[in-house]
Amino acid sequence: MGKNKLAAGLASALIIFGAIVPVAASERSSALIDEGLKALQQSDWNDALRDFIAASVADPKDSEALFFQGVALNRLALHIEALAQIESARAAGVENAAMDFEYGWALLGAGRIEDALASLQAYKAANPDSAKASEFIGRAQFALGNSGAGQKSF
């Protein structure tokens, strides 16, 4: 009887703190994300996306899988879909060194130029040697009609 009360108390504590304390991803989800990352490294965007979606199915609470779905969708030029996944990951508190870059890329592709520029500039400030961020900042500047600033970005 004492064990049941302890288990019930622990379950209640997990429910109460579940929104505060992130739960580790399941082993299956983590393995699928690893497979997806390998596919990304091989520029196999469709297989990567499939693995990241499978990771979400394996563990719907694994918000990192949402972020990586966004990464794969960006590479497939499905920026509106990428934006939705990245925004969901951000809302869930996912932290990734490439978050501002991927978010900026998705925003740029979705036509939210000023927001894209802010995100890409934040990424560039932390990663001054990123040629791709410079390129996207230049594209955003040109889209905003700032050709001088756009040229300087390249």
Side-chain angles (χ1 to χ4, degrees), residues 60-151:
K61 294 181 183 178
D62 186 355
S63 302
E64 187 179 40
L66 296 174
F67 170 72
F68 286 117
Q69 286 175 44
V71 170
L73 288 163
N74 264 340
R75 275 132 190 95
L76 289 166
L78 298 170
H79 301 295
I80 293 171
E81 294 86 347
L83 183 58
Q85 299 300 52
I86 293 168
E87 285 178 335
S88 294
R90 286 170 55 108
V94 172
E95 294 181 13
N96 186 290
M99 181 67 77
D100 284 331
F101 176 80
E102 295 294 336
Y103 189 52
W105 186 0
L107 288 163
L108 185 63
R112 292 176 46 192
I113 308 303
E114 290 177 357
D115 293 334
L117 185 58
S119 188
L120 291 164
Q121 287 173 330
Y123 179 80
K124 182 70 171 168
N127 301 278
D129 294 331
S130 174
K132 201 65 170 172
S134 293
E135 174 191 339
F136 288 164
I137 288 169
R139 288 183 187 190
Q141 292 287 9
F142 279 116
L144 292 172
N146 303 327
S147 59
Q151 288 175 344

Side-chain angles (χ1 to χ4, degrees), residues 18 21-37 48-70 84-96 99:
V21 179
V23 178
S26 71
E27 288 182 31
R28 179 71 180 137
S29 178
S30 294
L32 286 162
I33 287 174
D34 288 345
E35 289 301 311
L37 291 173
L49 180 59
R50 184 199 66 232
D51 290 336
F52 298 140
I53 290 171
S56 287
V57 170
D59 185 354
K61 294 181 183 178
D62 186 355
S63 302
E64 187 179 40
L66 296 174
F67 170 72
F68 286 117
Q69 286 175 44
Q85 299 300 52
I86 293 168
E87 285 178 335
S88 294
R90 286 170 55 108
V94 172
E95 294 181 13
N96 186 290
M99 181 67 77

